[in-house]
Amino acid sequence: MKAKKKNLIIAIIMLVLLTIVSVLLLSKKSGTIDKEAKSFAIADTSAVFQIFIADANQHQVLLQRQEDNSWIVNHVYPAMQPNVEDLLACMTNVVMKAPVAKNARENINRQMATGALKVEIYYTDYHINIGKLKFWKYKNKKVYYIGQQTMDNLGNYALLEGAKIPCVVYLPGFRGFIRPKYSPLEDNWRSHNIVKLKLSQIQKVESVDFENPQQSFRIEKSADQRHFDIFNQENMQLIPYDTLKLLDHLSDYRDLNYEMQETELTEEETNDIFSRKFKEITITDIDGKTTKITMFKIETVLNTEEYDYNMAIVDAFNRDKFYAIINDNQTEIFLCQFFVFDRIVQPLDYYFIDSPQKANPSLREIKEYGN
């Protein structure tokens, strides 16, 4: 009798649990938009593991979270972590302000169809999620479209996938529109870092000067690993040298970055760039990994139709920027600033003690003409 009663209680409990599960599952499937999708915001950004953004011009970017919580771009490149964190903060705080007015919906829908960004957010979720009780983990996604900004520039038109009525979304406390945070351009997410090495991680640096070969040199960690030695092109050691200048050079590899990637150069322009190689720097770390930076000058372009120039004082090449390729990859050309690189592009003479050689290019000096 007791056994039957016990079995009956178990059966009732199981029936109640099955009923609860069934109701929860059916409620998630009911309607065109589930309860969570009525909001654009993601409740828990730590659960987001993948983000896909695309526009109507074939630009698209895929951001993926790694096991160490870092992100990569399009399966290959490390992402700029601050940019991803800014996007996630936007995704968790974005708010629907109001549906688009009835008389404007047709026009807004037409604009959304041709110019909106598609945003797909993939995250882990649970079929049963009641407070701290979470069961049956699965992969979920939220998809919405971000259109142009509103007339007051304080919001964007947006549409949830599955919805028929567009609305206006905004970010509380942010004066502006959020579309730029959802960039579909790879270069806006890809880390611009070229080298990231501490002084203790550097084994060797080779600097080749193609315009003045005698100014080429090599910096190498000494045999006792306590300091660095400098050698000229003939492998003769430079003794003594200006220690502070050398440390300035090596410290710049802690976080060396390019400005942007050039993506719209013609074949003729590319070939012209490659004809102006002036320096090549190869950095080798203590694990034997090398990074080669090949540098090319940018020719000064003058608007002679509208302006007259004193050609005696005009530099033939840009003194602020140059082009570079990394590890001989000619399919990617990067624009770099001399201001970032000025301490590592110096000639050998610069490192002599009491050297009269000034920093080249001397960007921090004001050039006086006519003297």
Side-chain angles (χ1 to χ4, degrees):
M1 218 33 205
K2 289 183 177 180
K4 287 184 178 180
K5 189 176 181 179
K6 185 178 180 180
N7 290 336
L8 180 61
I9 293 172
I10 293 174
I12 292 173
I13 294 173
M14 292 298 295
L15 182 61
V16 171
L17 289 174
L18 287 172
T19 302
I20 293 173
V21 171
S22 300
V23 170
L24 288 170
L25 291 177
L26 288 172
S27 66
K28 281 187 175 285
K29 296 179 180 179
S30 61
T32 56
I33 305 175
D34 62 28
K35 183 177 180 181
E36 183 184 6
K38 290 178 181 177
S39 168
F40 284 82
I42 296 294
D44 181 13
T45 55
S46 66
V48 176
F49 61 87
Q50 183 170 288
I51 302 168
F52 175 77
I53 306 171
D55 66 9
N57 298 316
Q58 308 299 315
H59 299 122
Q60 59 185 44
V61 65
L62 180 68
L63 306 173
Q64 294 173 301
R65 191 192 294 268
Q66 303 301 289
E67 290 184 1
D68 62 357
N69 222 30
S70 64
W71 290 76
I72 60 170
V73 185
N74 291 338
H75 303 287
V76 178
Y77 307 107
M80 286 189 282
Q81 195 73 15
N83 290 20
V84 177
E85 290 173 357
D86 188 43
L87 175 63
L88 290 172
C90 177
M91 288 178 168
T92 195
N93 292 303
V94 63
V95 173
M96 184 180 76
K97 187 174 184 179
V100 172
K102 200 169 185 179
N103 59 357
R105 288 175 189 172
E106 183 178 349
N107 183 44
I108 296 302
N109 278 329
R110 187 162 51 248
Q111 291 180 15
M112 296 283 290
T114 57
L117 298 174
K118 184 177 184 180
V119 181
E120 299 178 2
I121 308 168
Y122 297 82
Y123 57 99
T124 55
D125 204 348
Y126 297 85
H127 287 294
I128 296 180
N129 192 347
I130 307 174
K132 293 184 178 181
L133 297 176
K134 299 180 180 181
F135 302 101
W136 289 299
K137 186 177 180 179
Y138 71 103
K139 294 180 179 179
N140 201 354
K141 76 172 180 176
K142 186 188 291 287
V143 180
Y144 53 79
Y145 300 85
I146 299 291
Q148 296 301 320
Q149 64 268 26
T150 55
M151 292 291 290
D152 60 5
N153 288 329
L154 295 178
N156 283 88
Y157 297 109
L159 183 70
L160 280 164
E161 188 172 69
K164 295 181 181 179
I165 301 175
C167 62
V168 175
V169 296
Y170 75 106
L171 196 59
F174 176 70
R175 290 191 61 80
F177 47 93
I178 64 173
R179 181 174 169 126
K181 297 179 183 291
Y182 294 83
S183 173
L185 304 179
E186 180 183 271
D187 198 49
N188 288 342
W189 299 103
R190 177 179 171 180
S191 171
H192 290 195
N193 184 259
I194 301 173
V195 181
K196 203 178 193 73
L197 291 173
K198 297 178 182 178
L199 189 65
S200 60
Q201 296 174 304
I202 299 173
Q203 180 64 37
K204 181 171 61 174
V205 175
E206 297 172 274
S207 177
V208 179
D209 192 321
F210 295 100
E211 296 177 321
N212 300 294
Q214 71 277 8
Q215 295 297 328
S216 300
F217 61 91
R218 183 177 84 256
I219 302 171
E220 193 163 0
K221 188 168 285 187
S222 63
D224 60 12
Q225 302 290 302
R226 293 181 180 179
H227 61 277
F228 289 88
D229 298 320
I230 302 181
F231 301 87
N232 65 13
Q233 191 181 29
E234 285 75 36
N235 203 35
M236 295 177 61
Q237 187 173 349
L238 177 62
I239 302 176
Y241 61 81
D242 192 314
T243 306
L244 290 179
K245 288 181 178 180
L246 180 66
L247 292 179
D248 274 346
H249 177 137
L250 296 176
S251 66
D252 269 12
Y253 297 118
R254 286 176 300 183
D255 192 18
L256 190 66
N257 299 279
Y258 64 85
E259 180 181 343
M260 62 175 287
Q261 182 179 357
E262 291 284 7
T263 58
E264 298 182 357
L265 295 169
T266 65
E267 183 178 355
E268 182 179 356
E269 289 172 330
T270 300
N271 291 335
D272 189 39
I273 289 170
F274 291 156
S275 69
R276 297 193 294 270
K277 180 166 62 173
F278 70 97
K279 193 173 286 286
E280 190 168 81
I281 297 176
T282 304
I283 308 99
T284 305
D285 67 19
I286 56 176
D287 295 320
K289 179 183 176 182
T290 63
T291 302
K292 183 194 291 184
I293 309 170
T294 308
M295 306 175 185
F296 307 88
K297 289 187 175 180
I298 299 177
E299 192 172 18
T300 301
V301 178
L302 304 177
N303 184 359
T304 56
E305 294 182 1
E306 298 184 20
Y307 301 98
D308 292 326
Y309 297 89
N310 182 350
M311 301 308 294
I313 63 173
V314 172
D315 292 314
F317 299 103
N318 194 313
R319 292 177 59 83
D320 298 320
K321 299 183 180 182
F322 63 93
Y323 287 122
I325 62 172
I326 311 301
N327 294 329
D328 297 322
N329 181 7
Q330 296 188 358
T331 62
E332 293 184 334
I333 299 176
F334 302 103
L335 184 65
C336 303
Q337 296 185 23
F338 272 119
F339 182 78
V340 176
F341 283 75
D342 63 355
R343 291 194 294 187
I344 70 173
V345 296
Q346 305 305 328
L348 174 63
D349 288 351
Y350 177 71
Y351 297 97
F352 283 92
I353 292 180
D354 299 326
S355 170
Q357 175 72 41
K358 293 183 179 181
N360 180 34
S362 50
L363 298 175
R364 297 171 184 171
E365 297 178 359
I366 300 175
K367 186 174 182 180
E368 296 182 0
Y369 298 105
N371 294 332

